């Protein structure tokens, strides 16, 4: 969705989320109508991944977020029984809707340096394990704090690097700014933009 203009992003995310939620709902109805003894609601479960989730479900009442926030909160509250679940990724967990967080079963918290975000994650931990938060600013790339139903105790784990790795490295501004000015082919960029 990164190519969707920000002014229609909320409604676009809302529509796609609602369609997938309704798929789960109607698929469950079909399965139950076909077999009254069906014990599995959905044998084709889906996982919706919302990267930079604070852009879709912020802890805000602004109208521009209303559509996506309502759709995603509904999935968080009701989606499991229809085989539709969420994975929210954000560098700012303190900015995400508390309704969403109250429905989450597991958390992977990577390096967080912002005290508000650290405190938010700390509230998820039992009082006896709150000191794990002190390690968060020093976690290395790929290390994270795993909390939730998937583990017996909150743990620091290493996530395997994916292959191929995403192109998401930071831009080396200082190095590039010291180089000679580059002549860009604006026409080529324009053609790519309008594809």
């Amino acid at each position: 969705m990164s190519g969707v203009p920000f002014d229609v992003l909320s409604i676009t995310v809302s529509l796609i989320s609602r369609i997938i939620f309704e798929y789960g709902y109607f698929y469950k109805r079909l399965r139950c109508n076909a077999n009254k003894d069906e014990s599995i609601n959905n044998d084709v479960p889906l996982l919706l991944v919302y990267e930079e989730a604070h852009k879709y479900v912020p802890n805000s009442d602004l109208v521009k977020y209303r559509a996506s926030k309502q759709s995603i909160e509904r999935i968080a509250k009701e989606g499991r029984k229809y085989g539709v679940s969420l994975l929210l990724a954000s560098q700012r967990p303190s900015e995400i809707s508390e309704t969403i967080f109250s429905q989450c079963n597991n958390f992977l918290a990577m390096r967080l340096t912002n005290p508000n975000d650290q405190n938010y994650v700390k509230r998820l931990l039992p009082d006896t394990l709150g000191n794990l938060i002190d390690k968060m600013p020093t976690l290395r790339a790929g290390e994270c704090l795993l909390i939730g139903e998937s583990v017996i105790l909150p743990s620091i784990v290493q996530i395997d690097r994916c292959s191929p790795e995403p192109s998401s490295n930071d831009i080396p501004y200082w190095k590039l700014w010291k180089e000679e000015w580059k002549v860009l082919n604006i026409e080529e960029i324009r053609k790519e933009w309008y594809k």
Side-chain angles (χ1 to χ4, degrees):
M1 303 301 287
S2 60
V4 175
F6 71 90
D7 45 351
V8 295
L9 186 60
S10 179
I11 194 70
T12 305
V13 168
S14 173
L15 288 170
I16 292 170
S17 299
R18 284 178 56 196
I19 288 168
I20 292 174
F21 177 84
E22 289 178 10
Y23 140 80
Y25 173 79
F26 287 107
Y27 185 54
K28 176 186 177 180
R29 278 183 41 182
L30 278 173
R31 290 175 55 78
C32 291
N33 288 341
N35 178 4
K36 300 290 183 204
D37 298 325
E38 183 61 65
S39 62
I40 298 173
N41 292 339
N42 188 329
D43 60 348
V44 186
L46 295 176
L47 173 68
L48 296 174
V49 179
Y50 296 91
E51 175 71 26
E52 303 291 349
H54 53 271
K55 293 194 296 192
Y56 314 117
V57 283
N59 203 6
S60 166
D61 292 327
L62 292 176
V63 173
K64 67 180 180 177
Y65 301 118
R66 188 175 296 155
S68 61
K69 191 173 175 184
Q70 286 176 337
S71 295
I72 296 169
E73 284 180 349
R74 183 171 187 205
I75 292 170
K77 291 186 272 188
E78 303 174 38
R80 283 171 280 205
K81 62 185 166 199
Y82 304 120
V84 181
S85 56
L86 303 173
L87 186 156
L88 301 168
S90 175
Q91 295 176 15
R92 298 303 315 270
S94 64
E95 293 181 7
I96 293 179
S97 162
E98 290 193 23
T99 299
I100 299 282
F101 268 115
S102 70
Q103 299 297 318
C104 291
N105 295 329
N106 296 290
F107 299 88
L108 289 170
M110 302 183 102
R111 181 176 45 234
L112 292 173
T113 55
N114 182 295
N116 292 337
D117 293 321
Q118 290 175 3
N119 287 333
Y120 202 80
V121 173
K122 188 174 187 171
R123 291 189 321 202
L124 303 172
L125 293 172
D127 292 338
T128 56
L129 298 171
N131 62 348
L132 279 174
I133 296 301
D134 298 338
K135 297 182 184 333
M136 292 193 73
T138 61
L139 292 176
R140 294 176 294 173
E143 284 186 331
C144 67
L145 177 59
L146 174 58
I147 309 162
E149 294 179 5
S150 64
V151 290
I152 296 170
L153 285 173
S155 307
I156 294 178
V157 297
Q158 176 72 41
I159 305 291
D160 293 335
R161 295 179 95 69
C162 57
S163 178
E165 289 191 26
S167 176
S168 61
N169 293 333
D170 292 340
I171 307 286
Y173 289 101
W174 295 114
K175 178 182 175 238
L176 293 171
W177 283 340
K178 290 177 184 176
E179 294 177 3
E180 290 293 319
W181 181 259
K182 293 176 175 57
V183 177
L184 297 177
N185 185 339
I186 300 298
E187 183 59 27
E188 186 178 23
I189 295 170
R190 186 192 65 77
K191 285 179 185 173
E192 184 66 24
W193 194 338
Y194 289 146
K195 277 187 184 178

